[in-house]
Amino acid sequence: MSVRRSRKRSRGDDGSASVELTLLVPVLVIVLALLVIAGRQVSAALIVQDAASTAARAASLQRDSASARTHAHQAAERELADRGVVCSLFTAVVDTFGFEPGGRVEAQVTCTVAVIDLGGFGGQRTLTATALSPVDPYRGRAP
């Protein structure tokens, strides 16, 4: 007669790593997607700040306040377009109150972007930035 030994197999931890990985992967993908969305929104805000700085600098290089406003607006639009930010609503306001040698020029750029363009799920976000640029104290006036 043969004696059969009946062994109970203990189930232990076999396969638990694959189950844990299966549960963890979607969470990691969502976290990564949220990081990308946040990074794109911060990048857009920095680009709008650069556009405001470019506009203020372009305005401070002009000889009169009318051309300062025109050149600032064009410079801000060009900066945003070159960097790939599409504004559904764009304004560039230039304060030329201190537009004299030794004064300063202030530019405020506002850009409304679709959140979907920034990697989000919908809606719009308005980004606003302000920059100052000094007017050269040694330059002469327009002839």
Side-chain angles (χ1 to χ4, degrees):
M1 233 197 235
S2 80
V3 178
R4 280 187 156 177
R5 287 190 193 179
S6 130
R7 270 185 166 184
K8 284 189 175 179
R9 287 183 84 172
S10 63
R11 300 213 176 218
D13 288 339
D14 292 344
S16 66
S18 60
V19 172
E20 290 171 2
L21 186 63
T22 303
L23 294 174
L24 191 60
V25 166
V27 173
L28 291 176
V29 169
I30 290 171
V31 168
L32 182 63
L34 290 174
L35 286 173
V36 168
I37 291 168
R40 292 202 52 180
Q41 291 187 8
V42 168
S43 176
L46 291 173
I47 291 170
V48 171
Q49 181 62 52
D50 288 345
S53 297
T54 301
R57 180 69 180 148
S60 71
L61 295 175
Q62 302 308 309
R63 297 287 183 187
D64 60 275
S65 60
S67 66
R69 286 187 195 95
T70 302
H71 281 83
H73 192 274
Q74 291 170 351
E77 273 186 323
R78 188 172 45 252
E79 180 73 19
L80 291 171
D82 289 348
R83 305 281 293 278
V85 175
V86 179
C87 301
S88 59
L89 178 63
F90 168 76
T91 58
V93 178
V94 180
D95 180 10
T96 56
F97 181 72
F99 192 74
E100 57 189 28
R104 65 181 188 182
V105 176
E106 180 178 345
Q108 181 181 36
V109 173
T110 304
C111 176
T112 301
V113 293
V115 175
I116 195 86
D117 290 342
L118 301 178
F121 300 111
Q124 292 186 333
R125 183 166 180 212
T126 301
L127 305 169
T128 302
T130 304
L132 298 171
S133 184
V135 179
D136 185 6
Y138 299 108
R139 78 155 190 217
R141 297 228 182 240

